[in-house]
Amino acid sequence: MSEFETKSDRKHLVVSKIKNGTVIDHISPGMSPLVLKILGIGPGSKEAVSMAMNVHSSKMGKKDILKVEGKFISDEELNKIALIAPEATINLVEDFEITRKFRVEPPEVVENIIKCPNQHCISNSNEPIKSRFRIFTDGRKVVAKCDYCGKKLYNLQDYI
Ligand code: CTP
Ligand code: ZN
């Protein structure tokens, strides 16, 4: 396949290939800014990042893609992406070749990412307590339950 042919676009790649780093593909459409937030990439970060939002995907209709150059993000960090983009696939690229490809899996517990919406929850008090949620799946939905007050959350993108 030539460089200008891909399954998603026969004429051009949406974003250029990278030499070394992490490609996060098949992100639920519109979620890529929140994925960057989960990965701690934002103002002050030094990595070169390309983002494509709401581009055509044969598998998903629409999807987002993120390419982070020169950075190999740990599996633990990457699996947090499943909270908001359970279909995301990770491609680790070395010298232009994909050396590892895997699907994200939701972690069992996440700390400090989800904010409990219950005002009376101890995680929202002045105590120095990290937020902590247990993660489980309900059919295809990823659900989070606060470890302190038991509040269950379904649309996790609203609490990150
Ligand atoms: N990619 C990249 N730089 C490279 C190699 C691949 O940015 N040096 C990107 C591709 O643009 C694509 C993703 O990594 O977004 C996965 O590449 P590839 O496995 O070649 O594409 P598909 O076969 O379409 O992937 P899948 O089977 O996961 O749908
Ligand atoms: Zn709570």
Side-chain angles (χ1 to χ4, degrees):
M1 201 187 272
S2 93
E3 200 180 329
F4 296 106
E5 280 180 274
T6 68
K7 277 180 267 175
S8 60
D9 183 332
R10 287 146 299 278
K11 280 193 174 157
H12 301 288
L13 287 172
V14 178
V15 273
S16 303
K17 294 206 166 193
I18 60 171
K19 184 163 195 270
N20 289 293
T22 308
V23 175
I24 308 161
D25 199 355
H26 306 114
I27 300 172
S28 315
M31 291 298 176
S32 50
L34 268 188
V35 170
L36 289 177
K37 188 173 182 190
I38 287 176
L39 297 176
I41 298 172
S45 296
K46 300 281 184 283
E47 303 86 6
V49 176
S50 8
M51 178 191 290
M53 274 177 83
N54 299 317
V55 296
H56 171 79
S57 158
S58 46
K59 284 182 208 160
M60 300 169 70
K62 283 183 176 185
K63 67 174 181 180
D64 286 9
I65 310 168
L66 279 171
K67 301 190 180 188
V68 186
E69 296 244 19
K71 191 172 181 180
F72 298 98
I73 305 164
S74 72
D75 289 22
E76 193 187 348
E77 281 293 301
L78 291 166
N79 279 332
K80 295 175 188 171
I81 294 169
L83 297 175
I84 55 163
E87 292 172 275
T89 48
I90 308 300
N91 300 272
L92 300 181
V93 177
E94 289 175 76
D95 203 13
F96 286 107
E97 300 293 327
I98 294 171
T99 52
R100 223 181 119 209
K101 188 191 273 284
F102 62 96
R103 247 180 101 154
V104 295
E105 278 178 43
E108 282 177 22
V109 179
V110 291
E111 287 187 326
N112 273 348
I113 291 182
I114 301 168
K115 190 181 177 330
C116 186
N118 172 6
Q119 287 183 14
H120 304 293
C121 180
I122 192 164
S123 66
N124 288 321
S125 69
N126 291 327
E127 306 289 327
I129 291 177
K130 291 180 180 175
S131 89
R132 189 166 63 232
F133 281 78
R134 306 267 150 194
I135 309 301
F136 55 100
T137 46
D138 183 355
R140 287 181 67 234
K141 269 201 154 298
V142 180
V143 184
K145 187 176 177 199
C146 180
D147 227 14
Y148 300 106
C149 74
K151 177 88 181 159
K152 274 191 193 172
L153 306 179
Y154 292 86
N155 294 306
L156 300 183
Q157 69 274 13
D158 295 340
Y159 306 98
I160 286 172

